[in-house]
Amino acid sequence: MKKNLLYTAWVVLYILCAALGFLPERSGALQVFLSLLSLVFFLPPALLLRQGKQAGDKKTVSLVRTVSLTSLGLTLLMLIFNIIFAARTAAVGNALHALLVLVSAPMMTAGAWVVSLFLWACLLVASIYKK
């Protein structure tokens, strides 16, 4: 697959995950769809990473590493902020939750947070590992 197509797919999947992460009520079938969507979200970066490593494209591997590290770091930061400011007003809680949804789009869409965090960590470790 061409890199531009994979980048486009990754951005489109991020937008879908971010938008659908704001859904308050999720039925059984909808939650299954959202979980599958959050798993598919990780397919383009995994393919980009594989192609980048095979071609020796350090720029692509570095981009996947940077996005993975940034997502994990910002997710941790937003989770800490959500815990610290839990007793504040509803507006602060809603704003922090909205930021968490945007930073951690596939995590909020999946419902099972650990799966998304694990897949980000896998991408990060795979982008660091050298043969």
Side-chain angles (χ1 to χ4, degrees):
M1 253 188 195
K2 292 190 175 191
K3 283 197 312 185
N4 288 339
L5 181 62
L6 290 172
Y7 284 126
T8 303
W10 198 11
V11 169
V12 168
L13 287 168
Y14 169 79
I15 292 169
L16 279 172
C17 285
L20 295 173
F22 287 103
L23 291 176
E25 297 293 325
R26 299 171 182 195
S27 65
L30 179 60
Q31 186 56 52
V32 169
F33 169 74
L34 293 175
S35 296
L36 289 175
L37 179 68
S38 67
L39 291 175
V40 170
F41 171 85
F42 291 98
L43 188 58
L47 291 173
L48 283 166
L49 185 59
R50 183 173 156 248
Q51 286 180 1
K53 284 192 160 207
Q54 286 177 345
D57 183 5
K58 292 182 182 180
K59 184 178 177 185
T60 301
V61 173
S62 178
L63 177 72
V64 172
R65 179 184 319 118
T66 302
V67 171
S68 300
L69 187 59
T70 302
S71 178
L72 286 168
L74 288 175
T75 298
L76 175 64
L77 188 66
M78 291 310 303
L79 286 172
I80 291 170
F81 283 168
N82 272 282
I83 292 168
I84 290 173
F85 295 112
R88 304 287 178 172
T89 64
V92 171
N94 289 337
L96 287 173
H97 181 72
L99 286 173
L100 181 62
V101 169
L102 293 175
V103 166
S104 309
M107 180 178 85
M108 300 303 285
T109 305
W113 291 16
V114 70
V115 173
S116 175
L117 293 173
F118 175 74
L119 291 173
W120 276 123
C122 287
L123 286 173
L124 177 63
V125 169
S127 68
I128 294 171
Y129 179 75
K130 295 183 180 183
K131 292 183 179 178

